Structures are given as structure tokens and as C-alpha cells.
């Protein structure tokens, strides 16, 4: 009996050992098959996964191409210990040509087209700073595609707006950059594009990158014209308005920097001087606020006083040069003065405004009063020297007096008047000298010597209260008195 029991125990022990060995052997085989399957799919583009049950392998996921699928199946086929390989892989669609595009607007960069991997999608999203879910997963991308696409988006981001397109191994970048330097910065982002890629680019620029540099020219006969590059915000229309002209011609470029207000401020000051000039040229001289001005004074202008007055009004940032205007056209030439709008006739070498009226005593008196109420004849303080802006009124007085003398057969007296400040005798002498200066200016313009006379009244005939500055200013005047 004991012997039988011993035999039974032995049989059970052997059976248990066999079961235990078989079980652990199966696990080792399954692990070996698993390791081999994992090795077979390692490096798959989209992470193909094997599922091992015993010695059977089921492989699923996305194969990048038929070539990758075949390689995986071939490698699985030689896994040691495997029994069955079941293929559950799906094949990723291929795109040809392989396209990708990105468009930049003022709001954002949007993308469309293809992307080779989810990893590439994530990399593009990082560069965009938003998702790239619009891209379609597809195979067929050329080598280095992801880096090239990311560099292309970085280049596009340097532009104000634009488009990036990739078709196989050709990359095209176009759009608008602020300056050529910004265009170069965009292309610099593509410096590491792998060999074999073709890069095409085309940019428009908001600014040529050159500093503000313009020239404004003025002619009393032809008006204003501007060329070169204006500071940001300055236009030909604004220049014309500042100068009081109907228009300023030319097609200047406009920069993206600079201070238009400083230019306009200078032009508004210059506007008051335009009637005293035949020509002017204002151009930049190294900065937004630095200019050089060259003027050709109208016939009869006091060039020294013109320069002094302009320099004082325009300030140290404008270097002023004034000289006599060039050759004049033939005597009798007519024109419309661009600064004043008056029709002028070249007479005795001076541009005299045309006056059409029937000359008689009353008409000449009224015309003279109206003229001198609008335009003062002014002098340098304490002297009989006509000031820099008296040219226009002297020319107008000449036209008026000529008409009245020739057509109305009248004589004219030029009266000089002062305020009551200072010594009366000195005032009378000064007023006489000033009246003489006006008569001399009229005679040189063609008024017959025997038709005109001068008398200084000093402070004897005030027209306003000398106790106020406004009153004294009104009393300092020149008058025209006509007689038969």
C-alpha cells in the first residue's frame, strides 16, 4: 500500500513539474514574440502597434506607405516563435504634388494643405501659436519637409502680409514687407533649408528703406512741385494747403517715419513770403527738421531783408540763401501769380498786378483807400527803408497810380505819417523820408516824375488814438491823395 502511494505521489509531482515548465515556457515564447514584434514596428512613421496573444501577432495602425507596410509584415514574418501574423494596418493616402500653404493677414497666419505626421502638425502649431487642425495627414512629403515648413512660416511672420506655398520641393514666399531690410530678415529664416529645395521670393515694400529726402520747388509762374521721399503722413495736398497754393504737383514717395508736423509748420511760415519770390527751392539737409532753402527774389525785392526775415521766421533748422531771380521773360508778358492768384503784367522789369477799372477821381480815391486798408507799406523800424514784405503793395500801388495818371489824367500825392511817440520834428523828417522812398519806388516802376509828389506829415494827422498800440500802428501809414 505504501508503495502504491509513493508511486502516486511521484506521478503527481512529475505532472506538476511538467505543467509548471510548460506554462513558463509559453510565457517566455510569448515574450520573445512580443519583443520581436515590437522591434519589427519600431521606427514606423505613425506608430504602428502589434498585439501578441501567445504566438499570434495582430498588427494595427496607420502605415505611411505600402513600402512601410510590406517592410513591417516582412519583418514580423521572421520573428522567432511566431505562428500567425494578422494584418490590420490601414494605408495612409499619398498626395502628389505635396502641397502646403500659409497666408498671413493683419489678424493671423492660417494654413492649409498637407502634413506628413502628427508630430509635424504639433511643430507647426508651435510656430503658429495656434492649432494646425486644418492640415490633412498625407504621405509623399519630400525629405526635411517639417523643418522647411516651420522655417517658411517663420519667414512669413516677418512680413506685414503675404503667402507661403510649398509644392513638393519648391517653396515660394511673397508679400509685403515694411522695408528691404525686413525682406532680407524673412529670407534669412530660410538659410538652413536643406539642399534640393528651390526657394522663390517676391516682395513689395511699404518703404524703400532710404531716409526721408525730398525737394519742394516753387515758381510764381508755375506753382509748386515736390519730388523725392516725404515723411510719414505728409502729402502733396497737405503741402499745397500749408503754402496756400491751389495744388502742388509731383508724385513723391511717402516714408514710414518722420514728423510731418515740423515740415508743415515751416511751410506755413514760408507761405507768407511766397509773394516776394520768383522761385524757391526747399530740400532736406540731413534730417527731418533740417532743410536748405534757396530763393530767387522777385524784381525789386530787398534780398538782404528777405534773407534776414526768412531766417528769423523759419529758425535755425533752415539754412536760407536768397539771390536775385534769373532772366525775366519779355516785357508785357502776362501770368497768374501762383501765390496771390493775381494776374500780373511784366512792366518796366516788375510784375505789376493788372487792374481793370474806369479811372476817375472818385474811383481812384476809393481804390487807393481799399488797397491801403488791406496792405500796409511798412518800413524798417526808425528808418525809411522799405521792409522785406512791402514789394507786393508797392507793385499794386504802381498799377493803381499808373491807371489813374494815364487814364484819369490825375496827379497823386504820397503822404507819410507817424505816431506821436518821440520828437515831432524827428517824426516829420522821418515821414518825409518814407514818403520819398515810396515815390522813388513808384517812379522806378514807370510813374512819371511830374505826376507824383511826396510829403511828410509826421504825427500831425492821426486817424486813431496814440495812447494804444493799435492806434499808434494805425497812425503809422502811407496815404495816396489824388488831384485833378
Amino acid at each position: 500500500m505504501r508503495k502504491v502511494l509513493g508511486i502516486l505521489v511521484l506521478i503527481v509531482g512529475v505532472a506538476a513539474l511538467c505543467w509548471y515548465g510548460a506554462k513558463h515556457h509559453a510565457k517566455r515564447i510569448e515574450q520573445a514574440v512580443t519583443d520581436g514584434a515590437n522591434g519589427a514596428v519600431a521606427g514606423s512613421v505613425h506608430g504602428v502597434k502589434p498585439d501578441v496573444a501567445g504566438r499570434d501577432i495582430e498588427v494595427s495602425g496607420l502605415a505611411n506607405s505600402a513600402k512601410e507596410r510590406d517592410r513591417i509584415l516582412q519583418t514580423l514574418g521572421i520573428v522567432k516563435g511566431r505562428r500567425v501574423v494578422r494584418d490590420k494596418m490601414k494605408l495612409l493616402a499619398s498626395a502628389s504634388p505635396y502641397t502646403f500653404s500659409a497666408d498671413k493677414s493683419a489678424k493671423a497666419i492660417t494654413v492649409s494643405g498637407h502634413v506628413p505626421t502628427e508630430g509635424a502638425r504639433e511643430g507647426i502649431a508651435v510656430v503658429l501659436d495656434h492649432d494646425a487642425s486644418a492640415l490633412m495627414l498625407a504621405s509623399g512629403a519630400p525629405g526635411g519637409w517639417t523643418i522647411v515648413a516651420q522655417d517658411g512660416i517663420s519667414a512669413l511672420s516677418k512680413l506685414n502680409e503675404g503667402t507661403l506655398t510649398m509644392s513638393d520641393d519648391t517653396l515660394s514666399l511673397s508679400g509685403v514687407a515694411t522695408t528691404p531690410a525686413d525682406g532680407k530678415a524673412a529670407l534669412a529664416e530660410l538659410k538652413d533649408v536643406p539642399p534640393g529645395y528651390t526657394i522663390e521670393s517676391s516682395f513689395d515694400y511699404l518703404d524703400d528703406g532710404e531716409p526721408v529726402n525730398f525737394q519742394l520747388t516753387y515758381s510764381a509762374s508755375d506753382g509748386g512741385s515736390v519730388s523725392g521721399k516725404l515723411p510719414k503722413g505728409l502729402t502733396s495736398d497737405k503741402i499745397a494747403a500749408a503754402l496756400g497754393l491751389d495744388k502742388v504737383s509731383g508724385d513723391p514717395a511717402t516714408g514710414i517715419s518722420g514728423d510731418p508736423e515740423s515740415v508743415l509748420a515751416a511751410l506755413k511760415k514760408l507761405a507768407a513770403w511766397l509773394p516776394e519770390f520768383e522761385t524757391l527751392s526747399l530740400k532736406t539737409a540731413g534730417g527731418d527738421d533740417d532743410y536748405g532753402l534757396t530763393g530767387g527774389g522777385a524784381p525789386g525785392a530787398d534780398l538782404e531783408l528777405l534773407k534776414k526775415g526768412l531766417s528769423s521766421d523759419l529758425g535755425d533748422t533752415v539754412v536760407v540763401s536768397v539771390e536775385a531771380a534769373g532772366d525775366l521773360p519779355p516785357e508785357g508778358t502776362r501770368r497768374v501769380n501762383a501765390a496771390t492768384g493775381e494776374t500780373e503784367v511784366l512792366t518796366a522789369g516788375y510784375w505789376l498786378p493788372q487792374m481793370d477799372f474806369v479811372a476817375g477821381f472818385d474811383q481812384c480815391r476809393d481804390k487807393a483807400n481799399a488797397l491801403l486798408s488791406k496792405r500796409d507799406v511798412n518800413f524798417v523800424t526808425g528808418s525809411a527803408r522799405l521792409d522785406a514784405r512791402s514789394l507786393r503793395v508797392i507793385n499794386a500801388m504802381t498799377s493803381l497810380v499808373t491807371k489813374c495818371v494815364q487814364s484819369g489824367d490825375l496827379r497823386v500825392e504820397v503822404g507819410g505819417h507817424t505816431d506821436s511817440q518821440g520828437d515831432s520834428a524827428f517824426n516829420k523828417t522821418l515821414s518825409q523820408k518814407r514818403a520819398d522812398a515810396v515815390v522813388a519806388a513808384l517812379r522806378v516802376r514807370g510813374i512819371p516824375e511830374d505826376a507824383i509828389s511826396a510829403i511828410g506829415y509826421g504825427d500831425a494827422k492821426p486817424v486813431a488814438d496814440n495812447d494804444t498800440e493799435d492806434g499808434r500802428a494805425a497812425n503809422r501809414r502811407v496815404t495816396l491823395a489824388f488831384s485833378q
Side-chain angles (χ1 to χ4, degrees):
M1 187 66 176
R2 290 179 178 177
K3 187 175 181 180
V4 172
L5 289 172
I7 293 172
L8 288 173
V9 170
L10 179 61
I11 291 172
V12 171
V14 170
L17 288 172
C18 289
W19 174 83
Y20 180 83
K23 181 178 180 181
H24 282 271
H25 180 65
K27 288 184 177 180
R28 286 196 300 271
I29 292 175
E30 185 180 59
Q31 186 61 51
V33 172
T34 298
D35 291 344
N38 287 333
V41 301
S44 61
V45 174
H46 304 287
V48 170
K49 295 181 178 180
D51 185 21
V52 178
R55 292 188 294 154
D56 295 343
I57 304 172
E58 182 176 285
V59 61
S60 61
L62 193 62
N64 193 57
S65 63
K67 183 178 180 180
E68 183 185 65
R69 181 191 62 190
D70 293 343
R71 177 188 61 77
I72 291 173
L73 292 175
Q74 183 180 7
T75 306
L76 289 172
I78 61 175
V79 170
K80 188 174 182 179
R82 65 92 184 161
R83 183 171 58 188
V84 175
V85 176
R86 287 188 289 274
D87 177 17
K88 297 292 185 178
M89 289 184 289
K90 294 182 179 180
L91 193 62
L92 180 63
S94 178
S96 181
Y98 203 86
T99 60
F100 170 80
S101 66
D103 292 293
K104 181 181 180 183
S105 65
K107 296 182 179 180
I109 296 177
T110 57
V111 294
S112 61
H114 304 105
V115 64
T117 66
E118 291 301 330
R121 189 194 302 276
E122 292 175 2
I124 289 173
V126 170
V127 179
L128 290 174
D129 198 26
H130 63 78
D131 72 81
S133 57
L135 299 176
M136 296 182 294
L137 199 62
S139 64
W145 185 94
T146 301
I147 293 177
V148 175
Q150 290 176 320
D151 288 349
I153 294 172
S154 295
L156 179 63
S157 68
K158 301 291 185 181
L159 305 180
N160 293 37
E161 60 184 51
T163 299
L164 166 73
T165 60
M166 292 175 60
S167 180
D168 292 332
D169 56 3
T170 298
L171 180 150
S172 298
L173 181 66
S174 61
V176 178
T178 302
T179 66
D182 295 304
K184 289 181 180 179
L187 292 178
E189 296 290 332
L190 304 175
K191 66 181 186 304
D192 295 326
V193 166
Y197 277 85
T198 299
I199 298 176
E200 301 171 346
S201 63
S202 176
F203 303 140
D204 293 322
Y205 300 108
L206 299 178
D207 188 273
D208 60 10
E210 297 298 322
V212 169
N213 185 15
F214 69 92
Q215 180 171 4
L216 170 68
T217 58
Y218 166 80
S219 162
S221 298
D222 302 321
S225 177
V226 64
S227 60
K229 182 177 179 180
L230 299 174
K232 179 181 179 180
L234 189 61
T235 64
S236 297
D237 287 344
K238 289 183 178 179
I239 291 174
L243 290 174
L245 301 177
D246 290 338
K247 68 175 184 176
V248 169
S249 62
D251 188 23
T254 302
I256 59 171
S257 63
D259 179 14
E261 295 307 318
S262 66
V263 180
L264 290 173
L267 295 180
K268 288 176 181 178
K269 293 178 180 178
L270 182 61
W273 293 93
L274 288 187
E276 319 304 326
F277 285 90
E278 282 297 293
T279 59
L280 279 173
S281 174
L282 177 70
K283 57 183 178 180
T284 54
D288 289 346
D289 299 323
D290 296 323
Y291 309 97
L293 186 146
T294 301
D302 189 319
L303 304 182
E304 180 184 0
L305 292 182
L306 277 184
K307 179 179 179 179
K308 184 178 180 180
L310 267 176
S311 298
S312 176
D313 276 7
L314 298 179
D316 295 337
T317 58
V318 182
V319 178
V320 177
S321 174
V322 177
E323 56 189 21
D327 294 337
L328 295 172
E331 186 81 358
T333 298
R334 292 176 179 268
R335 74 175 184 191
V336 175
N337 188 296
T340 66
E342 295 178 331
T343 299
E344 298 175 332
V345 181
L346 188 65
T347 306
Y350 298 90
W351 287 105
L352 305 184
Q354 183 178 4
M355 292 190 179
D356 293 324
F357 66 95
V358 177
F361 177 82
D362 291 340
Q363 291 85 355
C364 289
R365 178 198 60 207
D366 293 344
K367 287 283 185 181
N369 291 338
L371 170 64
L372 294 174
S373 68
K374 293 179 180 179
R375 307 179 193 175
D376 292 329
V377 179
N378 292 316
F379 301 85
V380 175
T381 301
S383 79
R385 185 177 185 181
L386 291 165
D387 80 353
R389 291 180 181 168
S390 289
L391 174 64
R392 184 180 174 195
V393 66
I394 290 296
N395 285 344
M397 289 172 66
T398 302
S399 292
L400 174 63
V401 171
T402 298
K403 186 85 170 177
C404 293
V405 168
Q406 293 181 349
S407 300
D409 197 24
L410 300 175
R411 290 177 50 81
V412 63
E413 174 196 278
V414 176
H417 303 265
T418 69
D419 59 35
S420 63
Q421 287 190 320
D423 180 72
S424 291
F426 174 82
N427 289 338
K428 183 170 179 60
T429 299
L430 178 61
S431 67
Q432 183 64 53
K433 290 180 179 179
R434 287 179 170 177
D436 290 339
V438 172
V439 167
L442 297 180
R443 283 175 175 167
V444 79
R445 286 164 171 76
I447 303 298
E449 185 173 349
D450 59 357
I452 189 169
S453 61
I455 185 170
Y457 291 98
D459 55 18
K461 292 188 175 184
V463 292
D465 190 347
N466 276 301
D467 291 335
T468 67
E469 178 54 41
D470 288 343
R472 289 191 292 272
N475 290 331
R476 296 190 297 269
R477 68 196 189 281
V478 169
T479 57
L480 293 178
F482 291 93
S483 60
Q484 298 289 348

